[in-house]
Amino acid sequence: DTAVSQTPKYLVTQMGNDKSIKCEQNLGHDTMYWYKQDSKKFLKIMFSYNNKELIINETVPNRFSPKSPDKAHLNLHINSLELGDSAVYFCASSQEVIGDAFFGQGTRLTVV
Amino acid sequence: DAKTTQPTSMDCAEGRAANLPCNHSTISGNEYVYWYRQIHSQGPQYIIHGLKNNETNEMASLIITEDRKSSTLILPHATLRDTAVYYCIVRDTGTYKYIFGTGTRLKVLA
């Protein structure tokens, strides 16, 4: 079983569209994250949720809205997609503050 | 900003030990050193972490200097599958986030 799974794996869409990426973890972890990896391969944290509560929001444009319906899920909805949103988005989870994080396989978003 | 400095790239012969250095001269007392790697475009994979003492697990060993200003990740017998970007991260126990730097691109050569 995949510990952290993201869907879809690939997403190609036009500018201006709204899209969602889903993430689920079956590890029983309390904390989940979204990271963005751009074309230069820099990995940057976007959001973190602990027990369904938002604890980190790294000045991400408000077109990006995370939603955590329960501890096992953290979805990312993006409105009015722009070319600069093209990147690989990684979901991750960890059990404790110092716990190691498990990452999903990523969603490659391409905005055309 | 990342609090670590790593060489941009390194090569290692297959079967030999790969020693990846990391400088973290501004590390504070409650910050751990973590190592992750990213193989091609897969999700980052946890390798090991430590606070003061040296640590070893089935994947690697972590050697932290006594002053904690630098550390070395050791892959004892590198294989071609260890070719990846290796990230050294300093993380405060009070924060939930990992701040990734640019990492070291390790190439294991046959």
Side-chain angles (χ1 to χ4, degrees):
Chain A
D1 285 343
T2 304
V4 181
S5 60
Q6 300 178 223
T7 53
K9 190 172 180 180
Y10 301 97
L11 183 55
V12 181
T13 188
Q14 290 186 326
M15 278 196 304
N17 283 350
D18 303 338
K19 290 294 178 185
S20 292
I21 307 171
K22 295 186 177 181
C23 178
E24 176 182 6
Q25 54 96 1
N26 62 6
L27 299 165
H29 288 169
D30 291 332
T31 306
M32 295 185 72
Y33 312 80
W34 278 109
Y35 280 81
K36 177 182 179 181
Q37 189 167 39
D38 59 24
S39 57
K40 295 184 178 178
K41 303 296 184 183
F42 290 119
L43 260 167
K44 290 186 179 178
I45 189 166
M46 300 173 68
F47 300 103
S48 178
Y49 270 73
N50 180 255
N51 285 317
K52 300 195 299 174
E53 185 178 335
L54 179 67
I55 53 172
I56 294 174
N57 181 341
E58 288 289 307
T59 60
V60 177
N62 57 15
R63 298 183 295 104
F64 291 79
S65 52
K67 283 191 172 47
S68 181
D70 54 58
K71 284 195 330 181
H73 296 84
L74 180 62
N75 304 323
L76 184 65
H77 188 76
I78 315 170
N79 290 328
S80 304
L81 278 154
E82 301 177 356
L83 293 177
D85 298 331
S86 295
V88 181
Y89 292 84
F90 289 101
C91 177
S93 73
S94 66
Q95 176 55 28
E96 302 166 343
V97 176
I98 63 167
D100 44 286
F102 288 78
F103 283 78
Q105 289 305 295
T107 296
R108 182 174 294 276
L109 171 65
T110 304
V111 182
V112 297
Chain B
D1 291 339
K3 296 183 177 181
T4 61
T5 306
Q6 300 176 250
T8 304
S9 63
M10 293 179 66
D11 290 342
C12 176
E14 189 179 20
R16 305 297 292 268
N19 297 292
L20 292 93
C22 179
N23 285 324
H24 31 80
S25 58
T26 61
I27 194 169
S28 60
N30 59 347
E31 289 180 321
Y32 283 73
V33 179
Y34 284 78
W35 283 83
Y36 281 75
R37 72 180 182 184
Q38 188 172 24
I39 296 173
H40 193 47
S41 294
Q42 297 177 20
Q45 177 190 23
Y46 167 81
I47 301 173
I48 199 167
H49 75 277
L51 182 62
K52 294 181 186 176
N53 300 322
N54 298 337
E55 302 287 345
T56 295
N57 63 20
E58 64 278 3
M59 287 182 71
S61 294
L62 174 61
I63 309 297
I64 303 174
T65 58
E66 196 168 338
D67 63 8
R68 303 211 319 126
K69 293 185 177 182
S70 65
S71 60
T72 301
L73 178 74
I74 302 173
L75 307 178
H77 305 286
T79 70
L80 297 178
R81 288 182 296 179
D82 291 322
T83 293
V85 177
Y86 287 77
Y87 296 98
C88 170
I89 301 163
V90 164
R91 186 180 182 210
D92 191 297
T93 53
T95 180
Y96 286 93
K97 59 184 176 182
Y98 292 91
I99 299 177
F100 287 81
T102 53
T104 296
R105 186 172 295 277
L106 175 69
K107 194 172 186 180
V108 180
L109 306 171

